[in-house]
Amino acid sequence: MTEPFLQHMKAAIEIAEKCETPFGAALAMGDQLFVAAANQTKKLHDPTAHAEVMAMRKLGDHLKKTDLSGFTLYSTCEPCPMCISAALWAKIDTVFYGCTIPMISKYLGQIHLRADKIADSGFKDTYIKGEIMVSQCELLLKKYS
């Protein structure tokens, strides 16, 4: 069983706090952090500019490739159907997140399709584990939603 590097979840929390949003994400390989990004949907007027997608775009641009095999995605909140699908297409191996979709729903509207259910329908085994540093992540929801 894979265990998270908590400093990477902290990076996702810190970028979310810096950008005043409940949604932050980071991509890492082992103990090496590569990128962190926050939700920018309002700033960019782009409904696809979720934190996870922004992090994948940033890393893909940096590496000049779309195959992110070997990377772990850290997110302050459970990836929505769009974000977990993008992670599957990117071949990300592991996803760790803070708040669950039911928790997020207490603060914001959500599409109630859980990340693990979507991943189970995918073409690649992706390890997904939630409720990592959940209290710190929920504070972001309370503060910015």
Side-chain angles (χ1 to χ4, degrees):
M1 185 182 306
T2 305
E3 290 299 317
F5 284 89
L6 296 182
Q7 70 265 29
H8 302 327
M9 183 60 90
K10 288 177 186 171
I13 292 167
E14 287 168 5
I15 192 80
E17 183 72 48
K18 179 181 173 189
C19 295
E20 299 181 352
T21 176
F23 306 107
L27 279 161
M29 186 177 284
D31 63 357
Q32 184 178 0
L33 178 67
F34 279 74
V35 299
N39 182 300
Q40 296 185 39
T41 56
K42 292 180 178 141
K43 179 181 177 185
L44 299 177
H45 310 286
D46 178 356
T48 69
H50 291 199
E52 301 92 334
V53 170
M54 298 305 292
M56 286 182 265
R57 287 176 181 166
K58 194 173 180 181
L59 183 59
D61 188 53
H62 173 73
L63 298 175
K64 304 296 183 217
K65 64 181 192 171
T66 58
D67 183 343
L68 303 180
S69 296
F71 283 91
T72 298
L73 174 65
Y74 293 82
S75 181
T76 56
C77 292
E78 182 173 354
C80 74
M82 175 186 70
C83 292
I84 195 63
S85 295
L88 295 173
W89 285 118
K91 300 182 180 124
I92 289 171
D93 291 338
T94 305
V95 177
F96 291 115
Y97 63 86
C99 296
T100 65
I101 287 177
M103 292 173 75
I104 304 163
S105 296
K106 290 191 265 180
Y107 302 93
L108 299 164
Q110 287 294 298
I111 298 171
H112 292 271
L113 290 173
R114 303 294 303 272
D116 59 343
K117 297 298 181 203
I118 294 169
D120 287 346
S121 301
F123 56 90
K124 178 186 182 309
D125 286 336
T126 303
Y127 179 75
I128 300 174
K129 184 176 181 185
E131 299 190 51
I132 309 297
M133 298 181 68
V134 68
S135 59
Q136 295 94 320
C137 294
E138 189 171 17
L139 285 175
L140 292 168
L141 280 166
K142 288 177 182 175
K143 190 171 183 180
Y144 297 116
S145 59

